[in-house]
Short mmCIF file of all heavy atoms in Angstrom, two decimals:
data_model
loop_
_atom_site.label_atom_id
_atom_site.label_comp_id
_atom_site.label_asym_id
_atom_site.label_seq_id
_atom_site.Cartn_x
_atom_site.Cartn_y
_atom_site.Cartn_z
N ARG A 1 20.14 -53.61 72.39
CA ARG A 1 19.85 -55.03 72.51
C ARG A 1 20.89 -55.65 73.42
O ARG A 1 22.07 -55.40 73.30
CB ARG A 1 19.83 -55.59 71.08
CG ARG A 1 20.18 -56.98 70.92
CD ARG A 1 20.24 -57.52 69.49
NE ARG A 1 19.57 -56.79 68.48
CZ ARG A 1 20.07 -56.47 67.30
NH1 ARG A 1 21.29 -56.83 66.99
NH2 ARG A 1 19.39 -55.80 66.41
N LYS A 2 20.42 -56.52 74.30
CA LYS A 2 21.33 -57.22 75.24
C LYS A 2 21.60 -58.65 74.81
O LYS A 2 22.48 -59.31 75.34
CB LYS A 2 20.72 -57.22 76.63
CG LYS A 2 20.44 -55.85 77.14
CD LYS A 2 21.32 -55.52 78.27
CE LYS A 2 20.93 -54.13 78.73
NZ LYS A 2 21.80 -53.53 79.59
N GLY A 3 20.82 -59.13 73.87
CA GLY A 3 21.02 -60.49 73.38
C GLY A 3 20.09 -60.78 72.22
O GLY A 3 19.12 -60.05 71.98
N LEU A 4 20.40 -61.84 71.51
CA LEU A 4 19.65 -62.19 70.31
C LEU A 4 19.76 -63.69 70.07
O LEU A 4 20.84 -64.26 70.21
CB LEU A 4 20.23 -61.43 69.11
CG LEU A 4 19.67 -61.73 67.74
CD1 LEU A 4 18.24 -61.18 67.62
CD2 LEU A 4 20.55 -61.11 66.67
N PHE A 18 25.59 -58.56 59.16
CA PHE A 18 25.32 -57.59 60.21
C PHE A 18 25.70 -56.19 59.78
O PHE A 18 26.68 -55.99 59.07
CB PHE A 18 26.09 -57.98 61.48
CG PHE A 18 25.66 -59.31 62.02
CD1 PHE A 18 26.30 -60.47 61.64
CD2 PHE A 18 24.59 -59.39 62.89
CE1 PHE A 18 25.89 -61.70 62.13
CE2 PHE A 18 24.17 -60.61 63.37
CZ PHE A 18 24.82 -61.77 62.99
N THR A 40 23.65 -64.42 70.61
CA THR A 40 24.57 -63.46 71.21
C THR A 40 24.06 -63.18 72.61
O THR A 40 22.88 -63.35 72.91
CB THR A 40 24.64 -62.14 70.42
OG1 THR A 40 23.37 -61.49 70.47
CG2 THR A 40 25.06 -62.35 68.99
N SER A 41 24.97 -62.77 73.48
CA SER A 41 24.59 -62.45 74.85
C SER A 41 25.04 -61.04 75.17
O SER A 41 25.54 -60.31 74.31
CB SER A 41 25.26 -63.44 75.81
OG SER A 41 26.66 -63.21 75.85
N GLU A 42 24.90 -60.64 76.42
CA GLU A 42 25.30 -59.29 76.81
C GLU A 42 26.80 -59.07 76.70
O GLU A 42 27.27 -57.94 76.75
CB GLU A 42 24.83 -58.99 78.23
CG GLU A 42 25.43 -59.91 79.27
CD GLU A 42 24.86 -59.63 80.65
OE1 GLU A 42 24.87 -58.47 81.09
OE2 GLU A 42 24.39 -60.59 81.27
N PHE A 45 27.28 -59.18 72.08
CA PHE A 45 26.14 -58.79 71.27
C PHE A 45 26.51 -57.78 70.19
O PHE A 45 27.55 -57.14 70.26
CB PHE A 45 25.02 -58.21 72.14
CG PHE A 45 25.39 -56.92 72.82
CD1 PHE A 45 25.07 -55.71 72.25
CD2 PHE A 45 26.05 -56.93 74.04
CE1 PHE A 45 25.41 -54.52 72.87
CE2 PHE A 45 26.39 -55.74 74.66
CZ PHE A 45 26.07 -54.54 74.09
N VAL A 46 25.64 -57.68 69.21
CA VAL A 46 25.73 -56.63 68.19
C VAL A 46 24.42 -55.84 68.24
O VAL A 46 23.37 -56.39 68.48
CB VAL A 46 25.95 -57.20 66.77
CG1 VAL A 46 27.29 -57.87 66.66
CG2 VAL A 46 24.85 -58.16 66.38
N THR A 47 24.51 -54.54 68.03
CA THR A 47 23.31 -53.72 68.06
C THR A 47 22.91 -53.24 66.66
O THR A 47 21.91 -52.57 66.50
CB THR A 47 23.50 -52.50 68.98
OG1 THR A 47 24.63 -51.76 68.52
CG2 THR A 47 23.70 -52.93 70.42
N SER A 48 23.69 -53.60 65.66
CA SER A 48 23.39 -53.18 64.30
C SER A 48 22.30 -54.07 63.69
O SER A 48 21.88 -55.06 64.27
CB SER A 48 24.66 -53.24 63.45
OG SER A 48 25.21 -54.53 63.48
N ALA A 49 21.86 -53.70 62.50
CA ALA A 49 20.84 -54.47 61.79
C ALA A 49 21.33 -55.89 61.50
O ALA A 49 22.52 -56.11 61.31
CB ALA A 49 20.49 -53.77 60.49
N VAL A 50 20.40 -56.81 61.47
CA VAL A 50 20.71 -58.19 61.10
C VAL A 50 20.04 -58.45 59.76
O VAL A 50 18.83 -58.29 59.61
CB VAL A 50 20.19 -59.19 62.15
CG1 VAL A 50 20.48 -60.61 61.73
CG2 VAL A 50 20.80 -58.90 63.52
N GLN A 64 14.35 -63.99 68.69
CA GLN A 64 14.06 -63.48 70.01
C GLN A 64 15.14 -62.48 70.37
O GLN A 64 16.33 -62.80 70.34
CB GLN A 64 14.01 -64.59 71.05
CG GLN A 64 13.62 -64.08 72.41
CD GLN A 64 13.32 -65.17 73.39
OE1 GLN A 64 13.62 -66.33 73.16
NE2 GLN A 64 12.71 -64.83 74.50
N GLU A 65 14.73 -61.26 70.69
CA GLU A 65 15.66 -60.19 71.01
C GLU A 65 15.46 -59.81 72.48
O GLU A 65 14.35 -59.67 72.95
CB GLU A 65 15.38 -58.98 70.12
CG GLU A 65 16.29 -57.83 70.37
CD GLU A 65 16.00 -56.67 69.42
OE1 GLU A 65 14.83 -56.42 69.12
OE2 GLU A 65 16.96 -56.03 69.00
N TYR A 66 16.58 -59.67 73.19
CA TYR A 66 16.54 -59.28 74.60
C TYR A 66 16.95 -57.83 74.71
O TYR A 66 17.99 -57.44 74.17
CB TYR A 66 17.49 -60.15 75.42
CG TYR A 66 17.20 -61.63 75.27
CD1 TYR A 66 17.88 -62.39 74.34
CD2 TYR A 66 16.24 -62.23 76.07
CE1 TYR A 66 17.60 -63.74 74.21
CE2 TYR A 66 15.96 -63.58 75.93
CZ TYR A 66 16.65 -64.33 74.99
OH TYR A 66 16.38 -65.67 74.85
N VAL A 67 16.14 -57.04 75.40
CA VAL A 67 16.47 -55.61 75.55
C VAL A 67 16.66 -55.25 77.00
O VAL A 67 16.31 -55.97 77.88
CB VAL A 67 15.38 -54.71 74.93
CG1 VAL A 67 15.37 -54.85 73.43
CG2 VAL A 67 14.02 -55.04 75.49
#
Side-chain angles (χ1 to χ4, degrees):
R1 152 183 341 134
K2 303 247 181 193
L4 175 70
F18 297 92
T40 65
S41 69
E42 61 184 308
F45 66 94
V46 294
T47 57
S48 57
V50 178
Q64 184 170 13
E65 180 178 38
Y66 304 94
V67 291

